Amino acid sequence: MKIGIDATLFAEEHFTGISRCVDEVLKVWIKEKKDAEFYLFFCNKRPINIKRDWPENWHLIGTDAPFNKTKLWKLFVLPKEIKKYKIDIFWGPNYYIPNKIKDVRMFVSVYDLAMFRIHGISKASTLIKHKLFLKKNCKDSDKIITISEATARDIEEIFGINPGKIGISYCGIDKNVSQRKIEEAEIRDELRIDSPFFLFIGTIEPRKNIETIIKAFDYYRKKYKTEAKLVLAGGKGWNDEGIYQVLENSRNKKDILLPGYISDEERAYLLDNCEGFLYPSLYEGFGLPILEAFKFGKPVVTASVSSMPEVGGDAAFYVENPKDYKGIAGYMDRIIHSSDSELEELKNNMKNQLDRFSWEKNAEEIWNMMTKE
């Protein structure tokens, strides 16, 4: 059996979101799927950025694009490569599959349709592209793979897709935490914060609702007379000017740290040392950072919208309205003043919730969707 995969999402310098999730699935397949041949297709203009020793049954296929355009590569070169290597099953893990090819089963992954639900959280060009092509990709695919019941409902409602054509497999989480590795890691001095702090990790963009987090922090500092700090960790995203303006106007801006993109070691260090994790996103297809905070036993404040309740279960604190900065601030104070018994109960809930998710389960479910139906 020959499995083709669109690997263009691995061209970024740093893996975030979708690329991280797909890479975890590939790691499992590398260990467990020895009898299939895998072909990772990418455009030479943007070579993939995965540093590992690939087994003999994994093949990296880089080809040139017409006029050096990646979009043209997907339209005209990728289908030819699929035919050339006689692919049996093709997986588009990032919203895209080429036009139907005879005797090739096609599967497309759709992580969320936030831009169809919330105005102004994506580039107009991205929205237009999805309106033009994503519905067709969903209808052309043999099955749509998604990561939450919330996104499955959106696919059904927005695109009019039969729910029987949609398969759901939750993302996973690596539950192991090495305290020694965290303690020995090289951490920037600016991140070694000697006072209580709350943490957000994610791309600095409108969808993540960071303006509300800053407002909640200002309200929390004023009402509860605390010296806690706030860390907003993540790379710059699209349309982030308004976020930085709110930050500039904050009365507590000197106590708000923006370290930019953080390494895996710094991520673990911050999660291990924060008081609580703030993630009141406007919309998430899954919300993996919630589970990452649970892994470190940290209370999470999120919003009861889209997939977040599926991921957080009874182990998180929820505001009904993501813009409710006073409610977020109230939960921040509750986290600080929770009794040992309350925190212990919350941590037990976190452990139970974490047990529902694993990359091995996610990888096997996707494999079964593609090969056994």
Side-chain angles (χ1 to χ4, degrees):
M1 183 187 303
K2 294 185 175 182
I3 313 293
I5 301 170
D6 177 2
T8 54
L9 77 166
F10 294 126
E12 302 300 330
E13 180 181 0
H14 302 298
F15 288 0
T16 59
I18 296 172
S19 53
R20 288 182 63 207
C21 293
V22 176
D23 189 41
E24 293 294 341
V25 170
L26 299 192
K27 288 177 184 176
V28 176
W29 287 354
I30 286 172
K31 288 189 296 183
E32 298 184 356
K33 308 303 178 184
K34 306 293 186 181
D35 295 332
E37 296 288 324
F38 294 88
Y39 295 79
L40 300 183
F41 296 108
F42 60 92
C43 177
N44 281 335
K45 181 190 176 186
R46 303 179 70 227
I48 63 175
N49 185 31
I50 302 180
K51 308 290 193 301
R52 69 167 55 102
D53 293 326
W54 295 94
E56 290 184 358
N57 62 322
W58 285 74
H59 312 280
L60 276 58
I61 312 298
T63 46
D64 294 330
F67 306 107
N68 211 24
K69 298 291 185 181
T70 305
K71 291 180 181 178
L72 294 180
W73 177 88
K74 288 189 175 186
L75 285 172
F76 299 109
V77 178
L78 179 57
K80 291 180 181 179
E81 295 299 298
I82 293 171
K83 294 176 184 177
K84 175 182 176 180
Y85 289 95
K86 298 180 180 179
I87 299 301
D88 300 301
I89 293 171
F90 182 82
W91 180 28
N94 191 19
Y95 294 87
Y96 176 82
I97 55 173
N99 290 330
K100 293 281 285 183
I101 299 173
K102 185 180 179 182
D103 297 328
V104 180
R105 300 187 68 210
M106 297 278 190
F107 298 84
V108 65
S109 284
V110 176
Y111 300 87
D112 69 67
L113 296 178
M115 65 185 69
F116 289 86
R117 292 297 195 193
I118 304 172
H119 177 72
I121 63 168
S122 69
K123 296 178 181 178
S125 59
T126 303
L127 179 59
I128 292 170
K129 181 179 69 175
H130 276 2
K131 283 185 174 180
L132 288 174
F133 299 111
L134 185 53
K135 182 177 181 178
K136 181 181 184 300
N137 288 341
C138 288
K139 290 187 177 294
D140 285 350
S141 66
D142 287 273
K143 198 171 190 72
I144 303 157
I145 301 169
T146 193
I147 55 177
S148 66
E149 292 181 7
T151 301
R153 288 193 298 269
D154 284 348
I155 295 169
E156 179 185 355
E157 294 171 9
I158 295 171
F159 293 153
I161 301 293
N162 186 320
K165 191 177 180 178
I166 306 169
I168 301 169
S169 180
Y170 289 123
C171 298
I173 184 75
D174 179 4
K175 303 177 184 68
N176 298 318
V177 179
S178 171
Q179 291 299 330
R180 171 174 286 185
K181 186 176 180 180
I182 293 172
E183 292 167 3
E184 294 178 352
E186 291 187 11
I187 307 297
R188 281 176 277 172
D189 289 341
E190 64 185 289
L191 298 181
R192 296 186 180 278
I193 303 168
D194 57 4
S195 58
F197 68 92
F198 288 88
L199 176 65
F200 161 86
I201 299 176
T203 304
I204 308 300
E205 63 183 4
R207 182 217 286 239
K208 301 301 183 182
N209 199 23
I210 298 168
E211 293 181 16
T212 299
I213 294 176
I214 297 170
K215 292 177 183 177
F217 178 65
D218 282 344
Y219 185 81
Y220 170 69
R221 289 272 301 235
K222 181 178 180 181
K223 180 173 182 178
Y224 298 101
K225 311 300 182 185
T226 175
E227 297 301 314
K229 299 182 184 297
L230 174 64
V231 178
L232 304 172
K236 288 173 64 65
W238 171 81
N239 196 25
D240 57 4
E241 295 84 0
I243 298 169
Y244 290 105
Q245 188 59 55
V246 171
L247 174 64
E248 184 62 28
N249 293 336
S250 168
R251 66 176 70 91
N252 300 292
K253 63 181 180 181
K254 65 179 178 62
D255 290 316
I256 301 175
L257 180 64
L258 281 85
Y261 182 84
I262 54 175
S263 67
D264 289 344
E265 292 77 15
E266 289 172 335
R267 187 186 197 95
Y269 179 85
L270 290 171
L271 283 165
D272 194 44
N273 286 279
C274 71
E275 298 296 322
F277 188 71
L278 307 181
Y279 204 71
S281 180
L282 298 178
Y283 185 111
E284 290 294 324
F286 185 73
L288 185 59
I290 294 172
L291 295 183
E292 292 180 332
F294 286 174
K295 183 171 69 173
F296 289 85
K298 299 303 178 178
V300 173
V301 183
T302 185
S304 56
V305 297
S306 61
S307 66
M308 267 88 81
E310 293 179 61
V311 179
D314 61 358
F317 297 115
Y318 299 94
V319 289
E320 290 294 323
N321 179 359
K323 298 286 189 178
D324 180 11
Y325 66 92
K326 292 182 179 180
I328 295 169
Y331 280 129
M332 293 166 71
D333 183 66
R334 181 173 172 178
I335 288 169
I336 292 292
H337 292 102
S338 290
S339 66
D340 290 343
S341 61
E342 288 173 326
L343 288 175
E344 191 61 33
E345 181 181 358
L346 194 61
K347 288 181 179 180
N348 286 334
N349 291 344
M350 293 178 196
K351 182 180 182 301
N352 292 335
Q353 192 68 5
L354 281 170
D355 287 341
R356 298 180 57 202
F357 308 96
S358 77
W359 291 119
E360 290 76 15
K361 180 182 178 183
N362 180 221
E364 190 63 22
E365 287 174 346
I366 293 174
W367 180 261
N368 289 338
M369 286 182 210
M370 297 196 302
T371 62
K372 295 187 178 181
E373 295 186 11

